[in-house]
Amino acid sequence: MQRCLMLDVDGVVVTGRPEDGKSWATDIERDLGIAPEKLHDVFFAPHWSGIVTGGKNLTDVLAACLPVLAPALTVQEFTDYWFEKDSRLDEGVLAECDELREHGMRIFLATNQEHMRAAYLMDALALRDHVDGMIYSAQLKARKPQRAFFDAAARHSGSRPEDLILVDDTETNIIAARDAGWQAMLWSKGARLMSLLEIR
């Protein structure tokens, strides 16, 4: 059976904001008037787990949270800022994806995402041009490192667990993938897919 590469997005394919690779929220207080700690307390801490596993709608949650965080800001303005500031692509990784696919390897993005950003990544950032598809947490109703994510991802890919290879920058996800019967390799900045996969 042909091996199938499952590639994490944030930290591997997308590496922060375009200008310098820092977190998308680095200057959010200066730019939007939202203190990062307040964003965490009001939005991320109570809601993100539900959003990223498909149980809550991002737009609905932001519509409820923004009057507390930044009353003059619309949901569209906030998501535009967020997605555009978290969109630096590792062109080297994408070039290697293209080469691997030319040699017959199937590649899926396997990532913790909600629906709107998943669509942004595939369409606005054109990641669909470099992979065979995206498998993401809100779609599966489970997130890495939950075992349900890996089992569902295997089903969606049509591959056996032993033919799947996860490349991810988070150690807990690597351990969970191996526990699910996958091969898994920890990504570090500056690495090369070909080297990790031992392809010359």
Side-chain angles (χ1 to χ4, degrees), residues 50 113 136:
Q113 301 290 338
Y136 64 99

Side-chain angles (χ1 to χ4, degrees), residues 12-101:
V12 180
V13 178
V14 177
T15 58
R17 59 185 190 176
E19 59 266 38
D20 55 16
K22 292 182 180 179
S23 166
W24 71 272
T26 298
D27 293 323
I28 196 170
E29 188 162 15
R30 181 196 70 189
D31 296 340
L32 301 183
I34 300 174
E37 57 274 13
K38 192 170 183 181
L39 179 64
H40 174 268
D41 292 344
V42 172
F43 173 68
F44 280 107
H47 300 295
W48 185 244
S49 181
I51 292 169
V52 83
T53 53
K56 295 182 180 182
N57 179 276
L58 175 62
T59 299
D60 293 343
V61 173
L62 285 174
C65 292
L66 284 176
V68 177
L69 295 169
L73 202 64
T74 67
V75 170
Q76 190 67 56
E77 288 168 339
F78 181 86
T79 54
D80 285 349
Y81 179 90
W82 178 1
F83 296 171
E84 289 167 13
K85 285 290 185 182
D86 202 6
S87 64
R88 186 184 198 184
L89 298 177
D90 189 322
E91 298 293 348
V93 170
L94 296 180
E96 287 193 281
C97 286
D98 295 342
E99 187 174 350
L100 287 166
R101 292 177 76 213

